[in-house]
Amino acid sequence: MNIQNYINGNFQNPINNHWIDNYNPSNGEVYGQIPNSTKEDVEKAYSAAKSAFPIWSKTTPEDRSRILIKISELLEVNLKRLAEAESKDNGKPISLAKAVDIPRAASNFRFFGNAITQFASESHESVGQQAINYTLRQPIGVVGCISPWNLPLYLFTWKIAPAIAAGNCVVAKPSEVTPMTAYLLGEICNEAGLPKGVLNIVHGLGTTTGQAIIEHPDIKAISFTGGTATGAHIAKVAAPMFKKLSLELGGKNPNIIFADCDYQDMLATTVRSSFANQGQVCLCGSRIFVEVSIYNQFKKDFVEKVKALTVGHPSNEDTHIGALVSKPHLEKVKEYIQIAKDENGTVLCGGNEVTIKGSENGYYLKPTVIEVTSDECRVNQEEIFGPVVTIMPFKSEDDVLEMANKVKYGLSATLWTNDLKRTMKMSNELQAGIVWVNTWMMRDLRTPFGGVKASGVGREGGFEALRFFTEAKNVCIKY
Ligand code: TXE
């Protein structure tokens, strides 16, 4: 199926009529084409957004809210169709797309549709000076949203929903690897009555289409989720233009297990936090540290559970582990397994590709557990972003804290313990934007979301996102 750009409420071909193949990771076949958009297409999208801005930015929060909630409802109505498209485009198990990705996209619109009606200005009476100060929260104008392939509609809408809720108009680019549900979102926005030009979706490569968005002098803010190297590049390009940036980048998250935890709960969740979406979630706990007294027991039980996971076709309801997103990504992950072996790591299970009958050219890899002897080896330091985790024992709180923090990333951390003192100490000292204690991936959309160090700058979620997508202006009136 070929898809088109969505500009000014219309679906259209790229100006140069150049196209990129879109692959189905479950069988390695090309199943459609997407626009290979250029600077000219981005300019067209920008013009549409610019024209829509004066009216959209003056609509009431209630009017915007009504449209966002309508989009949310239509995403729910179309859940099955969207989940199937997402699973085919990305390789993720259909059960995951149905239960998590698409419902979350709907929640994003519902949440920000409601949040904007509660996003109140602050005011202060400056006692003694006979003045009153208040803060206007004004939309920025035209903003850029660029999203990755791992959670395609989930992350695309996580940016778009707050941007338009706050009164901005958007030029957005989904990943060229997984464009399908972003394309379908355009249809839904039209049906929900979103005015033309408020959202414009341009498809294409990062280095051309994405680059045109970040270089555009009048796109004043960029919300980006993707790789750390791309984030650094965006920061460099954007700095001389003083663009506002929100960068959600890679992670190498520690999963720290103490002997006093609820063992069965921890075990089941650790399987999920290691391999959900084939380990292609920036929040996956890819470095597992286990207190030495339970290390051997954990190793045995964990490997047993991982071996029982079903690697299969993404459209099969029983599949736990679907296909990796692309051939180059599969090759990258396999390279890391070799690097682990070269660095004296022991592959406890997995480590090799899987052939699925009827889909022999799909990108399937067995979930892989590697026992490492040093926390400093490359597989423990670099983001692999696949179904590969490392495990190693630790002796004390201080030892594990040091190892957990000794990476360039700082997105999330998971802690398993029932000791309150330890919980407080560790959660204060772990270098991460999110710390989960005795759970993983439990999300409340009101909370701030983002990382420290090489995991990015800025926070998404709740009022943080609405603050990002607005400029604060102080007005001081003397009376
Ligand atoms: O990401 P890219 P890739 C990590 C993960 C993965 C690695 C690379 O480790 O293996 O990043 O993945 C657009 N100007 N994460 O190469 O390139 C691109 O088109 C503007 C972590 O797929 O960063 C896509 O839309 N845009 C992550 C988006 O950026 C550009 C999720 C992300 O692509 C651009 C995904 C440019 N010059 C990968 N170059 C997470 N944090 O969840 C690329 N893009």
Side-chain angles (χ1 to χ4, degrees):
M1 179 182 167
N2 286 6
I3 68 177
Q4 293 175 299
N5 289 332
Y6 172 72
I7 298 177
N8 210 25
N10 300 312
F11 288 95
Q12 44 196 275
N13 290 344
I15 293 166
N16 65 6
N17 208 28
H18 287 174
W19 301 84
I20 307 165
D21 288 340
N22 188 18
Y23 287 84
N24 176 345
S26 75
N27 58 19
E29 286 168 13
V30 173
Y31 80 104
Q33 289 196 311
I34 75 162
N36 188 356
S37 305
T38 59
K39 220 174 170 165
E40 286 69 41
D41 298 293
V42 170
E43 191 55 45
K44 207 170 168 191
Y46 167 76
S47 298
K50 188 183 170 201
S51 304
F53 181 72
I55 293 178
W56 181 247
S57 57
K58 298 283 182 309
T59 50
T60 64
E62 286 73 18
D63 284 345
R64 276 179 258 142
S65 171
R66 218 171 284 129
I67 294 175
L68 266 84
I69 287 170
K70 183 73 190 162
I71 297 172
S72 166
E73 287 165 0
L74 288 172
L75 287 167
E76 280 164 356
V77 169
N78 286 280
L79 187 141
K80 187 167 175 288
R81 179 172 164 238
L82 289 162
E84 283 167 4
E86 195 85 305
S87 171
K88 183 171 178 179
D89 214 20
N90 171 277
K92 72 176 65 216
I94 183 73
S95 56
L96 191 66
K98 273 192 208 157
V100 177
D101 288 73
I102 309 306
R104 172 58 191 272
S107 296
N108 289 340
F109 277 101
R110 189 179 305 279
F111 176 82
F112 285 108
N114 287 317
I116 195 61
T117 65
Q118 306 294 319
F119 187 50
S121 298
E122 289 172 356
S123 68
H124 310 277
E125 189 184 2
S126 302
V127 181
Q129 294 172 299
Q130 287 191 301
I132 185 133
N133 279 279
Y134 64 89
T135 308
L136 287 174
R137 281 273 167 193
Q138 298 180 313
I140 296 169
V142 179
V143 300
C145 298
I146 301 177
S147 60
W149 47 257
N150 58 332
L151 308 170
L153 194 63
Y154 177 136
L155 291 176
F156 196 55
T157 55
W158 181 230
K159 300 176 181 308
I160 290 167
I164 64 177
N168 301 284
C169 293
V170 176
V171 176
K173 192 194 92 61
S175 169
E176 60 273 31
V177 186
T178 53
M180 196 49 85
T181 44
Y183 169 69
L184 298 173
L185 179 67
E187 283 178 9
I188 286 174
C189 288
N190 282 351
E191 199 182 334
L194 186 71
K196 286 177 190 302
V198 172
L199 171 63
N200 304 277
I201 303 171
V202 191
H203 297 274
L205 301 173
T207 46
T208 49
T209 319
Q211 185 72 21
I213 296 174
I214 62 170
E215 277 178 351
H216 199 294
D218 297 317
I219 296 180
K220 296 289 187 197
I222 304 285
S223 174
F224 169 82
T225 299
T228 291
T230 314
H233 170 75
I234 293 174
K236 222 167 158 180
V237 172
M241 290 177 271
F242 306 104
K243 288 180 195 249
K244 258 185 132 175
L245 287 185
S246 167
L247 304 174
E248 201 271 280
L249 310 175
K252 190 73 189 174
N253 312 306
N255 179 6
I256 302 168
I257 300 166
F258 283 94
D260 71 343
C261 71
D262 294 335
Y263 189 80
Q264 292 306 331
D265 192 11
M266 174 280 294
L267 198 59
T269 308
T270 295
V271 172
R272 210 162 52 81
S273 68
S274 303
F275 299 111
N277 201 35
Q278 296 75 248
Q280 301 167 144
V281 180
C282 52
L283 302 165
C284 277
S286 51
R287 295 181 292 149
I288 304 175
F289 298 103
V290 187
E291 192 166 11
V292 68
S293 60
I294 58 163
Y295 182 72
N296 285 333
Q297 183 67 44
F298 172 82
K299 185 163 112 175
K300 182 175 155 289
D301 295 341
F302 183 58
V303 167
E304 200 173 286
K305 277 203 178 293
V306 174
K307 280 183 173 165
L309 294 173
T310 310
V311 181
H313 196 281
S315 66
N316 189 334
E317 290 282 352
D318 300 328
T319 291
H320 298 121
I321 309 278
L324 269 69
V325 76
S326 67
K327 180 91 176 150
H329 190 58
L330 172 71
E331 294 306 325
K332 172 189 151 178
V333 177
K334 277 165 52 190
E335 243 172 67
Y336 270 108
I337 295 172
Q338 188 55 47
I339 290 169
K341 290 178 186 164
D342 295 345
E343 289 186 320
N344 300 321
T346 308
V347 176
L348 300 175
C349 64
N352 52 318
E353 281 180 70
V354 182
T355 306
I356 304 291
K357 208 160 170 244
S359 298
E360 285 77 5
N361 294 322
Y363 317 134
Y364 300 95
L365 192 67
K366 272 203 180 139
T368 302
V369 181
I370 301 171
E371 185 174 45
V372 291
T373 49
S374 156
D375 66 296
E376 290 182 351
C377 59
R378 280 185 66 192
V379 280
N380 238 42
Q381 292 290 321
E382 297 173 21
E383 187 180 43
I384 303 175
F385 217 64
V388 178
V389 289
T390 64
I391 64 169
M392 66 177 290
F394 69 85
K395 289 202 186 89
S396 70
E397 280 176 21
D398 289 337
D399 286 351
V400 76
L401 252 180
E402 194 189 328
M403 292 193 289
N405 288 339
K406 215 196 305 160
V407 289
K408 69 174 183 175
Y409 298 103
L411 190 53
S412 70
T414 302
L415 185 62
W416 291 94
T417 180
N418 278 310
D419 184 317
L420 182 59
K421 244 182 171 171
R422 170 185 286 155
T423 300
M424 300 312 290
K425 175 187 165 171
M426 301 281 291
S427 39
N428 278 340
E429 292 183 26
L430 280 163
Q431 295 167 358
I434 304 158
V435 179
W436 277 297
V437 183
N438 298 330
T439 184
W440 176 74
M441 198 69 174
M442 190 179 273
R443 293 282 299 123
D444 179 326
L445 303 192
R446 291 169 299 184
T447 59
F449 177 85
V452 298
K453 304 200 285 187
S455 292
V457 291
R459 292 292 178 273
E460 302 185 285
F463 290 151
E464 297 286 342
L466 296 177
R467 284 188 197 107
F468 174 75
F469 283 116
T470 50
E471 290 287 6
K473 181 190 282 177
N474 177 243
V475 180
C476 175
I477 302 175
K478 181 148 170 59
Y479 57 85

